[in-house]
Amino acid sequence: MNEERELAINPIVQTSVQHNTQVVSNIRNLTASLFGVAAGTLGLESYPGFIFYLIGTFIVSGLVFVFRAEGKPSEYFHRPLGDLWGGDVFSGLSSFVLTWTLFYGLVRA
Amino acid sequence: MAQPVVQTIHRDPALFWWILLPITVVMILTGILRHYAMILLQTAPKKQMLPQIRQQRSLVRGINLRTNANILSPSSFQARKVFMVSAYQDGKFLADPEARGKPRPNPMSDPAAMEGMMGMMKGNMAMMIPQTLIMGWINAFFSGFVIMKLPFPLTPQFKSMLQSGVGTRDLDVRWVSSLSWYFLTLFGLQPVYTFILGSNNSASQVTQQMSQMNPGAGLMGPEQDPDKLFLNEAENLEVLEHRWILDGVEDRLLARLSA
């Protein structure tokens, strides 16, 4: 009940939430493709490639945290931990695999 | 145990220009085509008569009153509630008041319901037909040889699918034929569509599924009795616990200022 009242006093506007999610997912998709290009050019195979992707997304999360959210993620995200750090990690994986395969095939194999 | 020998296959560089690039370009273009085909196929909403619109809107009005009730002061909420409930119970907003209490006609015979189903069919067809066509095209032209090596290992179960038409038993699963490039593009091109067409395009599957769940359609479908919906809404309004948002606002303001 208390939380409900808090939400009524400080409402969360759905449009803004959608816009924030859109911005973050755009950044994630673009960087995932670029990480794929990098991993393919470096010739990473199997586990190192996926670890490269995980490290890359973590760095991107940090950059979003510092530059886009200005160090205060609770002002931009409903649940900062899930939406910024954890949520979108695997959404860019398919485009990462696509560009990774393409550039690996072009450069190495 | 000795390390397994790494298999290498020397391939013609022309494979890239004549297979990988065409498949990718075709996939992107089909996505764009699907987007515009969906826009063209969308039927314009039918023009409704004034009583129907009033019936629909007044239900929405009740729902809006219920969801935003806390913003209103108690007296003004009471006045609105009394008006809406009595109007609902008298059936003032009904499109044809004579039909009250009569059984509804069979939804299958209603042309409006059929149209909704047709729209859903069209959406599914716009997904299915290009996929079948492209799979057939790739199978017809590009099967029977490997074109690329995946950078990650797969289990041998994928061999029959990804190396279809390649008749070598001992070839590493990482060497795949063009069909797997098709699958990779199918799943990996969603962000490309987002960049080209904007965020609510109908090229990707997920957004299309979401758009089929049209929120307005289920609200007052043709198969539902508007009178029952009105009575239901009146009951909802009656039992609503009203809590004004400005209750105790002075204390909150003072607490914030003193903090």
Side-chain angles (χ1 to χ4, degrees):
Chain A
M1 193 59 229
N2 212 356
E3 193 182 351
E4 204 174 304
R5 190 166 169 71
E6 194 59 38
L7 272 179
I9 291 168
N10 299 313
I12 289 172
V13 184
Q14 208 56 42
T15 326
S16 311
V17 173
Q18 268 171 8
H19 177 255
N20 287 349
T21 329
Q22 190 66 45
V23 168
V24 172
S25 89
N26 266 348
I27 293 174
R28 287 228 187 269
N29 284 329
L30 192 62
T31 50
S33 302
L34 293 179
F35 285 137
V37 174
T41 317
L42 291 172
L44 301 177
E45 292 186 20
S46 63
Y47 286 120
F50 288 111
I51 291 168
F52 179 80
Y53 173 73
L54 282 181
I55 292 173
T57 43
F58 191 71
I59 291 172
V60 167
S61 298
L63 290 178
V64 168
F65 175 77
V66 172
F67 290 108
R68 300 314 300 261
E70 287 148 358
K72 298 187 288 287
S74 52
E75 288 194 6
Y76 294 89
F77 299 98
H78 185 34
R79 289 181 306 275
L81 197 68
D83 290 344
L84 176 58
W85 297 101
D88 265 346
V89 168
F90 293 104
S91 67
L93 194 63
S94 61
S95 51
F96 170 75
V97 169
L98 180 78
T99 48
W100 184 21
T101 314
L102 179 62
F103 278 81
Y104 182 82
L106 290 182
V107 176
R108 291 289 161 133
Chain B
M1 210 174 110
Q3 200 75 355
V5 184
V6 177
Q7 296 169 333
T8 50
I9 297 177
H10 292 286
R11 288 153 303 138
D12 196 341
L15 284 175
F16 169 71
W17 295 105
W18 291 99
I19 296 176
L20 280 190
L21 206 61
I23 291 176
T24 317
V25 170
V26 164
M27 289 298 290
I28 293 176
L29 288 182
T30 5
I32 295 171
L33 185 71
R34 187 185 302 142
H35 174 68
Y36 287 111
M38 285 305 291
I39 289 178
L40 283 179
L41 284 176
Q42 263 166 8
T43 45
K46 245 195 322 190
K47 204 168 179 184
Q48 282 179 313
M49 300 303 293
L50 188 60
Q52 256 95 23
I53 296 177
R54 192 180 63 161
Q55 171 178 297
Q56 215 166 330
R57 292 288 173 238
S58 45
L59 184 68
V60 175
R61 186 175 161 197
I63 293 172
N64 279 341
L65 175 64
R66 186 154 50 90
T67 48
N68 298 318
N70 291 345
I71 297 168
L72 296 169
S73 67
S75 61
S76 94
F77 175 71
Q78 277 305 326
R80 273 155 227 245
K81 186 175 95 174
V82 168
F83 168 68
M84 293 305 281
V85 167
S86 71
Y88 280 155
Q89 281 169 349
D90 298 345
K92 264 187 202 166
F93 300 128
L94 287 178
D96 47 346
E98 287 86 44
R100 243 185 135 179
K102 286 183 196 152
R104 302 293 296 170
N106 186 5
M108 287 311 277
S109 64
D110 197 350
M114 286 306 282
E115 209 152 283
M117 267 180 250
M118 275 303 285
M120 226 181 287
M121 280 272 283
K122 272 190 251 172
N124 281 338
M125 290 307 250
M127 282 307 298
M128 289 302 293
I129 290 176
Q131 280 187 11
T132 331
L133 280 181
I134 294 175
M135 287 260 292
W137 171 65
I138 289 175
N139 265 334
F141 280 86
F142 305 131
S143 74
F145 45 87
V146 294
I147 59 164
M148 65 193 318
K149 189 183 181 189
L150 291 179
F152 46 87
L154 290 170
T155 50
Q157 280 94 330
F158 288 96
K159 196 173 168 66
S160 62
M161 184 176 80
L162 297 181
Q163 288 183 358
S164 61
V166 182
T168 44
R169 266 191 300 125
D170 297 331
L171 191 61
D172 195 352
V173 198
R174 292 173 59 184
W175 292 99
V176 290
S177 63
S178 48
L179 199 60
S180 60
W181 177 250
Y182 164 74
F183 281 117
L184 278 178
T185 49
L186 186 67
F187 293 116
L189 279 182
Q190 312 289 343
V192 178
Y193 296 142
T194 316
F195 281 119
I196 298 176
L197 299 171
S199 56
N200 14 349
N201 63 73
S202 42
S204 46
Q205 293 98 325
V206 186
T207 44
Q208 204 197 325
Q209 309 264 312
M210 295 297 280
S211 68
Q212 279 178 6
M213 286 183 268
N214 192 356
L219 200 60
M220 191 172 280
E223 70 276 6
Q224 275 164 311
D225 190 353
D227 188 37
K228 280 212 187 88
L229 288 176
F230 279 146
L231 291 180
N232 210 351
E233 186 57 37
E235 201 168 303
N236 282 342
L237 277 175
E238 286 281 11
V239 300
L240 182 69
E241 185 191 5
H242 182 248
R243 199 175 277 267
W244 195 20
I245 194 165
L246 288 185
D247 267 347
V249 68
E250 308 93 338
D251 298 337
R252 268 185 276 143
L253 183 67
L254 287 178
R256 182 178 286 187
L257 285 180
S258 63

